[in-house]
Amino acid sequence: MTSYAIPLWDMPAVPVTGSDALFPVRHVYCVTRNYDPRAAEPGGISEREVPAIFTKAPGSVLAVGGEVPYPPETERFEPEIELVIAIGEGGSAIAPETAEAHIFGYTLGLDMTRRDLQRAARAEGRPWDIAKWFDAATPLGPIRPVGEIGHPRSGAITLDVNGARIQQGDLNQMIWKPNEVVALLARYETLAPGDIIFTGTPEGETVVEKGDRLEGEIEGIGRLSVTIT
Ligand code: MN
C-alpha cells in the first residue's frame, strides 16, 4: 500500500442534488467576458473573440457557500456570479455538437476576485493567479445533474449584496454557450471527469467588505449564499 510523507488532504467535493454522492473537483477552469445582450438576439453575435482562459485552485472550492474570509493583501474584493459546468465524461478535441454529452450537471458559483491585484498584474503583464487563488475563493452551490434539469440555456442570473441587486443578466446572453465553452477548452486541454468550468459573469460590479451577505441565484438551478468574514 502506498504511504505518503505528509497526511493526505481532503478531496475538494460538492454535493449533488437528489443523491448522497459528492462530485469530486479535479480542476477549476474559468473563462472571461462571456455576456452580451446582443447574444440573446436571433442570429447572436457573428464576430466572437476567444475569451481568456484561466484556472483557480481546486482547494479554494467552498462547497455550498458559507463564510469567505476577507483575503489578505487586498484593497478591492469583488464577487462574480457565474453558471458553472460540471464535467462527467472527459475528452479532448470535443465538437460543440457533442459537448453536452460530456456535461454531468450545472451549478452556480462565485468567482471571488482580488480585483486590485488582478489589475496590477494585467498592467505589468504578469499572471493574475494570485488574484484568483486564496482560501474560499471559489464558493459553489450544489450540482444539479442534467437528468434533473437538462441543459439550461436561458434564465435569470443575479447577485444581491446586502439585499441590493448588483448583477443581473440572463443565460441567453452568453456569447459562448455552455457546449461551446466545453469545446473551446477541449481544444487546449484534455478534460476529465471532475473538472468544473466557470462560464463568465453578467454585467454589474461592486466591492464587498467584511460582514457583507451575498445571495446568488440562477433561475432553474438554485441559490448560493456567502458571508464575508
Ligand atoms: Mn469570472
Side-chain angles (χ1 to χ4, degrees):
M1 186 179 150
T2 306
S3 67
Y4 296 92
I6 58 171
L8 284 185
W9 48 92
D10 291 337
M11 171 80 70
V14 188
V16 177
T17 58
S19 165
D20 292 332
L22 298 175
F23 184 90
V25 177
R26 172 187 177 269
H27 208 128
V28 181
Y29 294 102
C30 307
V31 299
T32 59
R33 292 191 304 270
N34 196 29
Y35 278 76
D36 188 322
R38 292 174 299 164
E41 295 166 6
I45 293 176
S46 52
E47 300 272 320
R48 298 187 298 186
E49 282 182 21
V50 173
I53 298 167
F54 65 94
T55 60
K56 291 169 80 102
S60 70
V61 165
L62 178 69
V64 300
E67 296 186 347
V68 174
Y70 194 99
E73 299 291 338
T74 305
E75 301 291 331
R76 190 176 177 89
F77 192 31
E78 294 189 12
E80 299 178 356
I81 186 72
E82 308 200 13
L83 173 71
V84 177
I85 299 166
I87 295 294
E89 187 187 319
S92 58
I94 297 166
E97 294 75 20
T98 58
E100 285 186 351
H102 295 262
I103 298 175
F104 173 86
Y106 297 84
T107 187
L108 69 171
L110 285 165
D111 173 15
M112 300 303 296
T113 302
R114 302 199 266 205
R115 191 73 73 203
D116 54 324
L117 298 185
Q118 185 187 32
R119 287 179 180 156
R122 267 185 184 156
E124 294 164 19
R126 294 178 174 184
W128 71 44
D129 309 48
I130 203 168
K132 298 286 191 176
W133 292 14
F134 48 88
D135 293 346
T138 311
L140 291 174
I143 290 174
R144 306 288 308 275
V146 165
E148 234 177 55
I149 62 165
H151 294 277
R153 295 294 175 263
S154 65
I157 173 170
T158 57
L159 177 68
D160 293 353
V161 177
N162 301 328
R165 179 74 24 110
I166 298 298
Q167 291 193 268
Q168 182 156 27
D170 194 291
L171 299 183
N172 67 12
Q173 299 167 341
M174 290 176 71
I175 300 166
W176 294 74
K177 307 304 181 191
N179 62 308
E180 295 174 325
V181 171
V182 171
L184 176 69
L185 271 169
R187 281 163 51 182
Y188 297 90
E189 305 273 3
T190 300
L191 296 177
D195 289 347
I196 61 170
I197 308 167
F198 277 68
T199 57
T201 197
E203 63 182 335
E205 63 182 59
T206 191
V207 293
V208 292
E209 307 287 350
K210 283 184 184 181
D212 285 349
R213 185 162 177 82
L214 285 55
E215 295 275 350
E217 184 167 12
I218 300 181
E219 192 182 347
I221 293 184
R223 299 175 66 85
L224 172 62
S225 301
V226 158
T227 302
I228 312 299
T229 61

